[in-house]
Amino acid sequence: MILVTGGAGFIGSNFILDWCESESEPVLDLDKLTYAGNLHNLDALRGDARHVFVRGDICDRRSLRELLARHRPRAIVHFAAESHVDRSIHAPDDFVQTNVVGTFNLLMEAQEFWSGLGAAEARAFRFVQVSTDEVYGSLGEHDPAFTEATPCAPNSPYSASKAAADHMARAIHRTYGLPVVTTRCSNNYGPYQFPEKLVPLMIHNALAGKPLPVYGDGRHVRDWLYVRDHCSALREVLKNGRAGDTYNIGGGAEKANLDTVGTVCALLDELRPRATGSYRDLVTFVADRPGHDRRYAIDASRIQRELGWRARESFESGMRKTVQWYLDNARWVERVVSGEYRDWIVKQYGSSAT
């Protein structure tokens, strides 16, 4: 069994779905079910004995200790995190608590559990710290892409909290020997993404005839990675990644935000045209957010060279799949936007779940 934290979130749920399509090994899914945790993401696994869900908090060390002792996972893939830059600007305390304190607690309990394993189990054990390219900071227009050797220079409370978690993971590995592997990915997009993020927000607003807000001049550049490509990279890292190392995971698709929004609009014009005009007519420029990184770019040559991984989806094919998924899953979007899924969580787990 492997333990996945944050398995009801966007990337975590896609990873579990991908895992269960590819592997027979069970997954222990630990999630606190905050606003971005949605068990409907995993409806396809209802009744599947390979998916074991436990509601819990990575900040609760006692519960973590009991969970590890009871289920004895051979690996931990750690997604659980607060992840939205805008939210981190308005409420940074939550990001420090979950991303820094929670990761520290999980690392220490994992180290204690790992130290009690037999020699063969201990050698095979892995802790995958799933991080972000945002820890590297911002690039200039002509700067080379981030490599694993690029120093961390975070510019938002979110990226600073993830950098702190990465440093703690490295320190626990170097000090105690816990076999940690860190991954840093570029901007993910795909099914089940909470509609506060750029791509699903543009799709939802466009279909509702609402403005499509674009920060600043819209020329902020991101490297886009289809979420299922990210999942396949993580499976490869878990299988063959070297303890103590870091692997950048990127889609090789640098796009200005305005161009990304334009791609979404063009696909919607084709797949769900408006009565008059183009969805591009809804683009509205808004004041830039504080500390907005100008450009991210990932050099993924190491994971390609050492582990043989490459992204399968191009930006165009991945974005087409994504837009089509949101069009085909209007009920999922409606539940999220209305908050109905939160009512379901209260029914299942009580008011303390919200």
Side-chain angles (χ1 to χ4, degrees), residues 25-352:
E25 187 176 12
V27 177
L28 177 63
D29 176 4
L30 176 67
D31 199 294
K32 188 179 178 180
L33 296 180
T34 60
Y35 78 95
N38 185 353
L39 281 176
H40 286 300
N41 296 1
L42 296 161
D43 279 348
L45 296 177
R46 284 193 179 185
D48 192 326
R50 292 174 302 164
H51 177 234
V52 180
F53 177 76
V54 175
R55 181 174 169 261
D57 188 348
I58 58 171
C59 292
D60 184 345
R61 287 187 63 166
R62 180 177 177 180
S63 294
L64 290 173
R65 190 176 311 130
E66 293 173 352
L67 194 71
L68 292 171
R70 183 183 316 120
H71 294 278
R72 302 188 64 79
R74 69 164 181 92
I76 298 171
V77 185
H78 177 38
F79 294 99
E82 298 283 349
S83 65
H84 193 230
V85 173
D86 289 354
R87 286 179 182 265
S88 80
I89 293 170
H90 297 293
D93 299 30
D94 295 339
F95 287 71
V96 173
Q97 185 65 24
T98 299
N99 299 358
V100 183
V101 177
T103 299
F104 168 75
N105 288 346
L106 182 62
L107 283 163
M108 293 306 294
E109 290 305 322
Q111 189 278 326
E112 184 69 22
F113 169 73
W114 170 79
S115 66
L117 296 175
E121 289 178 307
R123 281 194 300 272
F125 189 87
R126 288 293 182 273
F127 184 111
V128 180
Q129 164 67 8
V130 182
S131 190
T132 170
D133 60 357
E134 295 190 42
V135 302
Y136 295 126
S138 185
L139 291 169
E141 183 179 358
H142 302 294
D143 289 342
F146 300 130
T147 72
E148 291 83 355
T150 302
C152 289
N155 292 318
S156 71
Y158 162 61
S159 56
S161 69
K162 290 297 289 186
D166 292 359
H167 287 316
M168 187 59 69
R170 181 181 187 276
I172 298 300
H173 167 71
R174 293 295 295 267
T175 302
Y176 302 105
L178 180 69
V180 173
V181 186
T182 297
T183 62
R184 290 173 177 157
C185 67
S186 56
N187 273 36
N188 279 218
Y189 66 98
Y192 303 110
Q193 190 169 29
F194 199 81
E196 66 187 358
K197 298 298 180 74
L198 179 67
V199 172
L201 177 64
M202 295 301 110
I203 296 170
H204 175 70
N205 278 19
L207 293 175
K210 297 179 179 179
L212 307 183
V214 176
Y215 281 130
D217 62 2
R219 305 314 301 175
H220 300 82
V221 173
R222 298 296 181 260
D223 177 10
W224 292 94
L225 174 66
Y226 187 62
V227 66
R228 284 301 186 97
D229 279 333
H230 185 194
C231 294
S232 69
L234 291 171
R235 283 194 287 110
E236 195 60 42
V237 167
L238 183 57
K239 186 181 299 182
N240 295 311
R242 188 166 55 187
D245 283 1
T246 298
Y247 297 90
N248 284 349
I249 305 171
E254 284 189 62
K255 302 288 180 183
N257 286 346
L258 187 59
D259 294 334
T260 298
V261 174
T263 297
V264 171
C265 290
L267 286 165
L268 288 172
D269 285 339
E270 173 192 341
L271 299 171
R272 187 71 60 80
R274 302 179 75 192
T276 57
S278 167
Y279 289 102
R280 292 175 186 267
D281 301 336
L282 299 173
V283 171
T284 303
F285 292 96
V286 298
D288 209 353
R289 72 183 178 204
H292 197 178
D293 292 332
R294 190 65 177 175
R295 173 176 169 246
Y296 304 144
I298 279 282
D299 179 345
S301 59
R302 180 179 191 180
I303 192 172
Q304 294 169 1
R305 181 178 64 253
E306 295 185 8
L307 303 185
W309 174 87
R310 289 182 182 274
R312 293 183 179 180
E313 299 291 344
S314 67
F315 177 79
E316 291 74 20
S317 66
M319 198 60 71
R320 178 174 288 275
K321 286 184 175 181
T322 299
V323 172
Q324 189 65 62
W325 186 90
Y326 281 95
L327 290 176
D328 293 342
N329 289 272
R331 178 60 178 143
W332 182 90
V333 177
E334 180 185 341
R335 281 173 166 170
V336 171
V337 173
S338 70
E340 180 185 329
Y341 79 106
R342 304 297 299 153
D343 297 335
W344 180 84
I345 290 172
V346 171
K347 182 178 179 181
Q348 291 291 110
Y349 296 99
S351 59
S352 61

